[in-house]
Amino acid sequence: MFWQEEIEVISREELQRIQLYSLQETIRRLYYNVPFYNQKFRDVNLKPDDIKSLEDIQRLPFTTRDDLRENYPYGLLAVPREKIVRLHTSSGTTGKPKAIFFTKKDIDQSAELIARCLIMTGVKSDDILQNMMTYGLFTGALVMHYGAEKVGILVIPAGPGNTERQIALMQDFGSTCLHLTPSYALYLAEVMDSKGIVPQRDLSLRRAYLGAEPYSEETRIKLENMLGIDIYNSYGLSEMNGPGVAFECKYKDGMHIWEDNFLIEVLDPDTDEPVPEGQEGEIVLTTLKREGMPLLRYRTKDIAKIIPDTCRCGRTHKRISRIFGRVDDMFIVRGVNIFPQQIERVLMGIKGVAQNYQIHLEAYDKMTVKVEIEQDFFDGNIEKLLALKSRITEKLKSEILVTPQVELLEPGTLPISEGKAQRVIDNRNL
Ligand code: ADP
Ligand code: ZN
């Protein structure tokens, strides 16, 4: 099923033609309406008419988070302030928030993209979406909400938190789809388990959309088994509308990025040169349809790769892999570069490990992985506990090449998060 079939299965040639047209149009508007971009073009001696092909994008200047901050609050508007109808900010995981503005057309367009995503995963008119992301300045909940309303399904604007009430809502109204962060989904599954709720038996859930933070395939599998549903990966960032940038289809093998709206480049973060398709690099995005606040070559700092083949679902828009992490999530222990994702992947693949973990960095060479394990391991059988501990340590060591301290904890010991989880506690610079 498609929401906008003609654009979702468009030929690559036609898609590229539309992209070039939209890019040229975006550039003209930025050049004439946004002093910041006008200056950037002048700095490199470039005029809008110089951009004649999609490859020419490489001549354009980048936009960084700092550019957004320096032009805060209204500096990057490409339309008069009166045309703006909504403000969002990024959730501020990495510093001072960045302001993002939507015109009416932008709101409508972001909802169209969500509609494509939902229909792509099999949503039908009888579906009921329980939206457990944070409503407010964060884009996650509202953008999804408008998209689901556009499809015409019932949306329960639950917001995050109050897990027992969330479960009651699922029971009372028969929610079939959930939208939430992976860390909250892990907690939700744990609470259901502790209350003896068997989702397959007691609830009507069919699928969940998980995004806003990195998680591994192991976590998806674990959650799909615990909840008895299909889990779809959803990628987005406030700077690019929020959710709906890239989303998985039924085949759950990479996320289709809506290329008529976003021009994607994958660059080597050190050299800024494009990497060959299929190789990991930093995702750099240019908005092609945005009216209020178009952005050119935005450095997302997210690491992923393009999946080269075409998808069995028939959509021609390219797919990106899971987001491996952010360039700035990486930390170094004993000279080895480590992404939190690597640790998560190992932990979530080990039987006996429960849902929550944290990484504590103490000194340049000391790292402790605190991990909650299933309650059964605390039955007094020390040998069983030690065997699990050494299994976790060994598996982590073979993945990250450093031997961490491992601390096993009872379920419910570590702080839980309803939004984005704080997985790395860095005490090294205190
Ligand atoms: P902030 O930058 O303050 O966290 P956002 O809420 O806009 O603000 O978060 C967007 C970021 O969240 C992305 O750049 C990416 O790092 C992360 N993210 C979003 N969706 C996913 C996903 N499905 N997988 C991994 N990371 C994701
Ligand atoms: Zn597909």
Side-chain angles (χ1 to χ4, degrees):
M1 275 287 287
F2 297 92
W3 176 252
Q4 291 174 311
E5 185 164 2
E6 63 298 347
I7 187 78
E8 292 176 48
V9 302
I10 189 171
S11 73
R12 292 295 305 174
E13 297 71 40
E14 183 65 6
L15 179 59
Q16 281 162 4
R17 210 183 53 75
I18 294 177
Q19 284 184 313
L20 179 59
Y21 171 83
S22 306
L23 177 66
Q24 289 169 328
E25 210 252 338
T26 300
I27 289 170
R28 268 193 298 277
R29 284 194 294 121
L30 289 173
Y31 185 83
Y32 292 111
N33 301 344
V34 184
F36 164 80
Y37 277 114
N38 185 282
Q39 188 59 50
K40 281 217 165 190
F41 276 77
R42 285 172 191 278
D43 290 346
V44 292
N45 208 4
L46 208 66
K47 290 254 165 39
D49 287 348
D50 295 335
I51 302 303
K52 294 189 167 47
S53 71
L54 287 174
E55 287 68 47
D56 284 340
I57 193 164
Q58 289 177 42
R59 300 172 61 193
L60 295 173
F62 291 115
T63 310
T64 64
R65 289 178 192 161
D66 284 342
D67 293 329
L68 260 65
R69 293 193 182 113
E70 280 157 24
N71 287 282
Y72 182 91
Y74 288 117
L76 289 174
L77 285 190
V79 296
R81 223 281 300 134
E82 292 68 24
K83 280 199 79 178
I84 297 297
V85 298
R86 196 196 286 171
L87 160 72
H88 276 295
T89 65
S90 79
S91 53
T93 314
T94 53
K96 193 172 171 237
K98 297 144 261 174
I100 312 293
F101 299 96
F102 292 65
T103 62
K104 270 192 184 156
K105 216 169 129 197
D106 293 333
I107 297 227
D108 197 57
Q109 188 59 26
S110 63
E112 285 286 336
L113 297 185
I114 294 287
R116 288 186 201 171
C117 297
L118 295 180
I119 296 292
M120 178 161 75
T121 65
V123 160
K124 301 219 166 50
S125 55
D126 66 342
D127 271 300
I128 299 174
L129 175 79
Q130 188 160 325
N131 195 1
M132 299 164 71
M133 290 284 191
T134 309
Y135 279 80
L137 285 168
F138 176 51
T139 46
L142 273 171
V143 170
M144 174 60 76
H145 188 112
Y146 275 55
E149 282 189 351
K150 188 166 271 283
V151 173
I153 60 170
L154 173 58
V155 193
I156 305 177
N162 200 341
T163 307
E164 288 185 22
R165 187 158 158 268
Q166 300 278 5
I167 296 170
L169 287 171
M170 290 173 208
Q171 286 170 323
D172 294 349
F173 298 103
S175 311
T176 59
C177 304
L178 305 178
H179 180 218
L180 71 175
T181 60
S183 44
Y184 191 33
L186 285 164
Y187 179 68
L188 175 73
E190 180 183 315
V191 174
M192 284 182 181
D193 189 45
S194 71
K195 299 209 166 302
I197 290 174
V198 180
Q200 293 87 329
R201 182 193 67 200
D202 304 328
L203 303 172
S204 314
L205 298 178
R206 295 174 191 153
R207 51 186 93 82
Y209 306 112
L210 264 51
E213 58 186 6
Y215 61 111
S216 60
E217 197 55 37
E218 284 71 14
T219 297
R220 184 217 306 261
I221 292 166
K222 182 169 180 140
L223 280 167
E224 285 190 335
N225 290 336
M226 287 182 85
L227 299 171
I229 59 177
D230 281 311
I231 288 184
Y232 296 95
N233 197 3
S234 153
Y235 171 67
L237 58 162
S238 310
E239 296 88 320
M240 298 286 137
N241 299 349
V245 175
F247 218 83
E248 280 180 332
C249 66
K250 277 273 180 203
Y251 293 102
K252 297 195 278 193
D253 184 16
M255 299 178 279
H256 288 283
I257 171 153
W258 299 121
E259 292 183 88
D260 56 326
N261 278 254
F262 304 101
L263 192 59
I264 180 170
E265 297 169 84
V266 184
L267 304 183
D268 179 326
D270 297 324
T271 64
D272 295 347
E273 292 297 320
V275 300
E277 204 164 276
Q279 205 166 301
E280 258 166 20
E282 179 184 346
I283 304 282
V284 174
L285 297 171
T286 297
T287 65
L288 294 174
K289 289 274 170 70
R290 253 224 312 242
E291 193 178 51
M293 191 176 154
L295 293 174
L296 277 189
R297 305 192 85 197
Y298 184 70
R299 305 289 302 240
T300 67
K301 305 264 186 183
D302 291 327
I303 303 285
K305 62 185 173 195
I306 287 184
I307 298 173
D309 312 321
T310 52
C311 186
R312 283 173 289 167
C313 76
R315 288 172 184 80
T316 47
H317 298 244
K318 282 183 186 153
R319 287 168 298 157
I320 57 170
S321 66
R322 252 174 215 295
I323 308 295
F324 190 63
R326 286 180 158 180
V327 179
D328 32 24
D329 279 346
M330 195 193 77
F331 55 87
I332 300 175
V333 176
R334 284 184 213 143
V336 180
N337 297 349
I338 302 173
F339 278 94
Q341 267 293 89
Q342 293 175 274
I343 301 205
E344 193 227 32
R345 196 164 62 208
V346 170
L347 293 178
M348 293 303 151
I350 298 177
K351 214 168 160 315
V353 167
Q355 276 68 260
N356 209 348
Y357 71 95
Q358 262 185 354
I359 303 159
H360 287 247
L361 305 174
E362 311 297 343
Y364 92 102
D365 61 345
K366 183 158 181 250
M367 163 181 163
T368 306
V369 176
K370 300 189 179 192
V371 52
E372 291 182 7
I373 56 169
E374 285 165 8
Q375 195 65 52
D376 313 348
F377 284 86
F378 296 95
D379 59 2
N381 184 341
I382 299 293
E383 269 169 32
K384 196 168 70 176
L385 203 61
L386 289 178
L388 179 63
K389 184 168 165 170
S390 66
R391 195 156 71 245
I392 294 174
T393 311
E394 277 311 306
K395 291 217 158 151
L396 283 172
K397 185 181 163 201
S398 68
E399 167 72 30
I400 60 178
L401 313 175
V402 181
T403 312
Q405 305 279 339
V406 172
E407 227 175 87
L408 304 185
L409 303 166
E410 288 188 54
T413 318
L414 292 169
I416 60 133
S417 78
E418 293 159 357
K420 298 190 190 220
Q422 192 187 2
R423 295 296 191 195
V424 182
I425 313 289
D426 192 344
N427 296 320
R428 292 173 301 184
N429 299 319
L430 290 181

